[in-house]
Amino acid sequence: MSEQELKGWHHLPPLPLQTSPLFQWPPRPVAALKWWLRGWFLISEKLIIAGIALISFCWFQPPLEQSRHLGLDWILPVYLRNLVLMGGVAGLLHVYFYSFTAQGKRLKYDPRPLMKNGRQFTLGGQIRDNMFWTMTSGVFFWTAYEVLMFWAMANGYAPMITWAAHPVWFIALFWLIPIWESFYFYWIHRLLHLPFFYRHVHSVHHRNINVGPWSGMSMHPLEHAIFLGSVLIHWLVAAHPVHILYHLQFNALTAATTHTGFEGLLMKDRNRLNLGTFHHQMHHRYFECNYGSLEVPWDKVFGSIHDGTVQADAEIKERRKRIMGG
């Protein structure tokens, strides 16, 4: 590590971090296309979750007409499916990176291990605490929003499209949902950092300064309700049930993948699957920066971006002093 790199990190990605060319001026269409291709192909979180959503819809989703009336005959299978998905994704990532330490510390941002004990954690340890909030409140609200949306679509309260009638919009939504989520996340995240909400709600998530796969959905129930509430856009923006599955699975499952603490999954010494972003990892350590993602550059617009450079680190420290009143 050179003298011009941030101290205290084991692994650093190429710096400075870059925001999406899609929202830069003047337009850079070639760069935007390359960014989009990297985000979707050949192996990516978005493509994998789109596949999970399609499999869920085809083989593990109750018929929409059954959703017209609330009942455990269809709600319970949805809940169990979500338990399996959340436990499978976060659990397998944890086992791979932390139980088996299959990559050691290669591509790991923070050199420290996860905390086995700590008074700040509800159940006395970081992993137990994270699993508790994820598998109880997290899966409950994930399921509740799915149930609400399927019920609304079945009863004609939420607009619905089909592949046959709207093929272009049907495909476009898979691309637009992550962009909407990035926009939404920035603003609700800023709200949650207001002193009252941070102290009583968001601090549960920020117990995790050094994050692991179970940290992503470890939140206060009110934060789960707000975070997953981005799916309510489909009361206005027409979608198909598979988009509801994709939207909420994207929210919940990428919370696990982006909090692995590792930049990616190594295969034959190459990063084959990008996972945790350094952009958000810095937010957990420095707090008052990087509220959003690199997809929609609100942090850059409003001066809260930390791009991983020493200069940005100094600017963020000054900003924190001003926020805290000197």
Side-chain angles (χ1 to χ4, degrees):
M1 180 177 291
S2 73
E3 293 183 0
Q4 294 303 311
E5 291 182 341
L6 290 179
K7 306 296 183 182
W9 297 101
H10 173 72
H11 168 74
L12 292 172
L15 300 172
L17 298 177
Q18 300 296 316
T19 58
S20 171
L22 185 65
F23 296 96
Q24 294 178 6
W25 188 263
R28 299 166 56 205
V30 174
L33 178 61
K34 289 180 179 179
W35 177 284
W36 179 78
L37 289 172
R38 283 198 304 270
W40 275 96
F41 304 102
L42 290 171
I43 303 175
S44 69
E45 294 171 310
K46 294 171 185 173
L47 195 61
I48 291 170
I49 292 173
I52 293 173
L54 289 169
I55 292 170
S56 300
F57 178 74
C58 292
W59 286 290
F60 301 100
Q61 178 67 20
L64 189 61
E65 55 268 21
Q66 191 177 356
S67 305
R68 289 176 182 164
H69 303 285
L70 299 178
L72 287 178
D73 58 327
W74 69 272
I75 294 176
L76 185 58
V78 170
Y79 176 69
L80 293 176
R81 180 189 67 207
N82 293 343
L83 275 176
V84 171
L85 283 173
M86 193 74 250
V89 171
L92 288 173
L93 287 171
H94 179 85
V95 168
Y96 178 83
F97 285 114
Y98 293 94
S99 298
F100 293 161
T101 59
Q103 285 186 200
K105 289 187 178 181
R106 289 181 298 170
L107 300 189
K108 189 176 190 298
Y109 297 124
D110 195 312
R112 299 170 296 177
L114 301 178
M115 294 183 66
K116 292 184 177 179
N117 300 298
R119 292 182 178 180
Q120 71 269 41
F121 298 112
T122 304
L123 300 180
Q126 183 176 6
I127 300 168
R128 292 191 300 273
D129 177 84
N130 289 178
M131 290 181 68
F132 169 76
W133 291 110
T134 297
M135 298 299 279
T136 55
S137 174
V139 175
F140 170 80
F141 278 99
W142 173 5
T143 304
Y145 277 120
E146 282 189 347
V147 169
L148 174 63
M149 293 307 303
F150 297 145
W151 171 84
M153 284 182 161
N155 287 281
Y157 299 130
M160 187 173 157
I161 63 170
T162 63
W163 164 258
H166 305 89
V168 175
W169 184 244
F170 195 101
I171 295 296
L173 273 176
F174 286 102
W175 176 65
L176 292 171
I177 284 170
I179 294 178
W180 159 248
E181 174 56 27
S182 184
F183 171 83
Y184 176 87
F185 178 68
Y186 177 85
W187 292 107
I188 63 108
H189 201 176
R190 292 301 301 259
L191 171 70
L192 289 167
H193 271 262
L194 294 176
F196 176 84
F197 288 109
Y198 184 87
R199 184 167 58 252
H200 297 289
V201 179
H202 194 46
S203 59
V204 173
H205 183 65
H206 266 287
R207 293 169 180 173
N208 300 282
I209 297 173
N210 181 19
V211 298
W214 289 106
S215 304
M217 281 290 283
S218 179
M219 305 174 187
H220 187 283
L222 181 57
E223 183 168 356
H224 281 130
I226 297 171
F227 172 61
L228 295 169
S230 66
V231 76
L232 297 178
I233 189 69
H234 296 299
W235 282 75
L236 300 174
V237 177
H240 184 274
V242 74
H243 296 120
I244 304 302
L245 290 168
Y246 173 70
H247 195 137
L248 285 162
Q249 288 173 3
F250 179 83
N251 279 15
L253 300 182
T254 61
T257 60
T258 58
H259 285 76
T260 56
F262 288 75
E263 184 179 11
L265 183 68
L266 285 173
M267 295 180 186
K268 296 183 179 180
D269 292 325
R270 288 187 62 187
N271 182 3
R272 300 289 184 175
L273 177 63
N274 290 324
L275 294 170
T277 64
F278 190 54
H279 182 265
H280 191 69
Q281 181 91 26
M282 286 190 290
H283 174 77
H284 275 268
R285 180 178 290 191
Y286 304 136
F287 293 90
E288 300 299 338
C289 66
N290 297 0
Y291 297 102
S293 74
L294 297 174
E295 292 287 340
V296 182
W298 288 115
D299 281 303
K300 192 169 185 178
V301 172
F302 291 101
S304 56
I305 193 167
H306 192 320
D307 64 8
T309 61
V310 173
Q311 179 182 352
D313 197 56
E315 291 172 356
I316 289 297
K317 287 177 181 177
E318 285 299 316
R319 181 173 179 272
R320 186 184 301 144
K321 289 180 181 178
R322 292 196 300 272
I323 292 173
M324 298 180 68

